[in-house]
Amino acid sequence: MVNSTGKHIIAVTGEDKCIRVLEVLADNTLLQISARHMPKRPCSVAFTTDESTILCADKFGDVYAIPLFEPHNDQKDAMNGQPMATEQPSMEAKSKPFIPAATALTVHTKRNQQALKNQQSLTSKSSGKKCLDFAHQLLLGHVSLLTDLAYVTVLVAGSTSSSTRSYLLTSDRDEHIRVSRGLPQAHIIEGYCLGHTEFVSKLCVTPWDCSCLISGGGDDYLLIWKWLSSEVQQRVELKSLVAGLEKKITRVPRQDIEPSSIATGTDSIAVTGIWAIQTLSGNKEKYEGYIIVACERVPALFVYSWHKNGKVEHHETLEVEGNILDVAVLPKQMSILYTIDNLEDYLSATDDQTRHRLPNLGSYCYSCAACSWVRDSPVQQSINTINEWAAMQESTAPDLEFRSDYIRDYLYATEKLRKRGQDED
């Protein structure tokens, strides 16, 4: 994630649960300013409106606020009791840990013995909990696994002045989209957007109208909301597009992946990304912008046009070389960059002759003349340079095949949010 000035980058690494702030120097090199380890693995980050605070959500349901730049120690102490404060180790030391009253001598049934083991395990874990050593504030929590967040600032309705109000939107595995007040009142819930029947994995607020929200997840469709009033404006079909795509694309069969885990016309789909890009010229009188959607294990991007009257319809499908991992939007160039899983076909091939590495990066650019997205991107030369450098690095890198299962589990985790069996109770 990059701030509006382009001078600072927020990077999240999952294995060490770390949020790193990097500065872009004059020679286009990166300098790490800070590295802060969160208590749980972050799943989504966002800036507040003034970009002075980072909002971090983890999959255990908590949302934290941490300053972009770490304050000095004297400033940290002065923050105690303020909206952004560090926890006090002394207070935590004073609190007595929970000790179960029951023991192995007083518990006899198999069920109660298992319950006692669970309590003792939780007690040992909580006793080893470390206090965060940097300024932070716990804003809110979900009882379910949290998946995404967005921070929005809108004009106050009916106000004569240009006063604004901020909101924090969060989604979870239990089909909920919660609308909370912005800092410092994030504990106050304004409402819920309820309409999904499966998990909600991604949220996207349109830049041309901050009152509009697009959400997607494990359902066969996207929902367009007026989130302030919790009203569904439109239901946009998605599954039929994936089904039509599968008929045209021949994939190398994977012997190590169950057929049900690959997106097909008859199987469930999982939305992994929703991005909005505003139209700058050309058909501005017809379209406000475009919505770009990616699904897990689907080698394509689905583009929807947003009409001036608020109607959303499928514009075109952009086929790519491999499964989409992530997308970056370049609004000024009306371009999108995408990264793909370039190991998918490589690891599935059975002999060296058919093995080939796909490019890491690709791009599309919007053509006003053709009213469609084309490959001729203004950043294509830079992409070619990066792909060539990556190919050179991969040729000398250690064999990744032995780590293929680990890499796949890390890259394809969205479908695992779907409840099955006893999870549905």
Side-chain angles (χ1 to χ4, degrees):
M1 182 175 68
V2 186
N3 66 352
S4 59
T5 63
K7 293 182 179 180
H8 295 96
I9 298 173
I10 310 301
V12 178
T13 48
E15 287 187 341
D16 56 0
K17 310 170 189 175
C18 187
I19 296 180
R20 305 176 192 274
V21 178
L22 309 173
E23 182 181 358
V24 182
L25 302 179
D27 58 354
N28 290 328
T29 57
L30 298 177
L31 173 66
Q32 179 172 297
I33 299 176
S34 64
R36 285 165 278 189
H37 297 268
M38 303 303 295
K40 302 296 181 182
R41 178 181 294 182
C43 65
S44 182
V45 292
F47 279 121
T48 53
T49 306
D50 60 4
E51 297 187 343
S52 64
T53 303
I54 303 170
L55 303 177
C56 170
D58 62 46
K59 289 194 172 182
F60 278 74
D62 294 331
V63 178
Y64 289 87
I66 60 177
L68 177 61
F69 304 110
E70 288 192 278
H72 298 295
N73 289 333
D74 55 344
Q75 291 177 316
K76 272 188 190 178
D77 296 336
M79 287 169 123
N80 292 336
Q82 298 300 318
M84 188 78 67
T86 56
E87 293 179 358
Q88 298 300 305
S90 58
M91 294 297 292
E92 189 171 313
K94 290 179 182 179
S95 62
K96 296 181 180 180
F98 169 74
I99 300 177
T103 67
L105 298 176
T106 60
V107 173
H108 304 288
T109 66
K110 186 176 181 180
R111 178 179 295 180
N112 289 343
Q113 287 175 351
Q114 185 60 44
L116 177 60
K117 287 181 180 179
N118 293 339
Q119 289 181 351
Q120 291 172 338
S121 174
L122 289 174
T123 302
S124 62
K125 287 182 180 179
S126 61
S127 62
K129 182 180 177 182
K130 293 183 179 180
C131 180
L132 299 181
D133 59 354
F134 52 84
H136 67 282
Q137 181 196 6
L138 177 61
L139 298 179
L140 57 85
H142 281 234
V143 294
S144 177
L145 192 150
L146 202 148
T147 56
D148 202 8
L149 64 85
Y151 198 77
V152 192
T153 299
V154 297
L155 292 172
V156 177
S159 175
T160 55
S161 61
S162 58
S163 58
T164 59
R165 181 174 295 169
S166 296
Y167 296 88
L168 180 57
L169 313 181
T170 50
S171 59
D172 63 29
R173 187 190 182 195
D174 286 343
E175 310 97 37
H176 301 146
I177 301 174
R178 182 196 293 186
V179 180
S180 306
R181 290 189 185 179
L183 274 66
Q185 297 179 313
H187 59 282
I188 300 177
I189 300 174
E190 290 286 340
Y192 287 90
C193 296
L194 304 177
H196 285 279
T197 59
E198 291 287 350
F199 63 88
V200 184
S201 56
K202 287 298 173 182
L203 304 175
C204 178
V205 178
T206 58
W208 51 86
D209 186 355
C210 291
S211 67
C212 291
L213 171 72
I214 308 108
S215 61
D219 291 307
D220 301 337
Y221 50 84
L222 306 173
L223 290 181
I224 313 297
W225 300 87
K226 285 291 186 181
W227 56 268
L228 278 169
S229 57
S230 303
E231 297 178 1
V232 176
Q233 298 295 299
Q234 189 176 344
R235 174 171 158 165
V236 181
E237 178 64 25
L238 184 59
K239 187 174 182 178
S240 61
L241 301 179
V242 178
L245 184 70
E246 283 292 326
K247 295 178 182 178
K248 299 191 296 180
I249 294 181
T250 303
R251 306 298 303 277
V252 179
R254 293 295 301 269
Q255 298 178 357
D256 56 343
I257 298 179
E258 297 179 3
S260 61
S261 67
I262 302 175
T264 65
T266 57
D267 294 330
S268 55
I269 59 175
V271 174
T272 56
I274 306 174
W275 302 270
I277 183 168
Q278 190 167 7
T279 306
L280 299 179
S281 58
N283 286 335
K284 180 67 181 290
E285 72 283 351
K286 187 177 181 181
Y287 301 133
E288 286 283 3
Y290 292 91
I291 305 300
I292 300 160
V293 180
C295 297
E296 192 166 83
R297 291 195 183 280
V298 177
L301 292 169
F302 304 104
V303 181
Y304 296 85
S305 55
W306 191 292
H307 290 256
K308 293 283 286 184
N309 59 9
K311 183 180 179 181
V312 179
E313 62 182 7
H314 178 245
H315 188 79
E316 61 184 315
T317 298
L318 308 178
E319 298 180 14
V320 299
E321 299 87 345
N323 296 337
I324 293 288
L325 298 181
D326 202 1
V327 170
V329 174
L330 306 179
K332 294 181 180 179
Q333 292 85 4
M334 278 297 288
S335 298
I336 55 174
L337 308 181
Y338 60 84
T339 58
I340 64 170
D341 178 7
N342 68 337
L343 291 178
E344 181 79 3
D345 289 342
Y346 178 82
L347 293 176
S348 63
T350 56
D351 58 87
D352 292 334
Q353 291 183 352
T354 58
R355 289 192 172 197
H356 63 282
R357 289 285 176 91
L358 299 172
N360 296 77
L361 290 174
S363 67
Y364 273 96
C365 179
Y366 182 73
S367 170
C368 297
C371 194
S372 64
W373 294 79
V374 297
R375 288 282 190 178
D376 187 19
S377 171
V379 295
Q380 190 60 49
Q381 185 175 353
S382 299
I383 290 176
N384 293 339
T385 302
I386 294 173
N387 284 332
E388 290 171 4
W389 177 86
M392 260 173 41
Q393 297 297 315
E394 289 170 354
S395 63
T396 59
D399 188 9
L400 292 175
E401 188 165 358
F402 76 97
R403 299 188 68 200
S404 60
D405 291 337
Y406 170 79
I407 294 173
R408 234 176 270 118
D409 289 342
Y410 189 80
L411 295 180
Y412 302 108
T414 306
E415 177 60 34
K416 295 177 183 178
L417 294 171
R418 195 178 304 278
K419 296 178 181 178
R420 292 182 174 87
Q422 61 182 5
D423 288 344
E424 295 178 357
D425 297 334

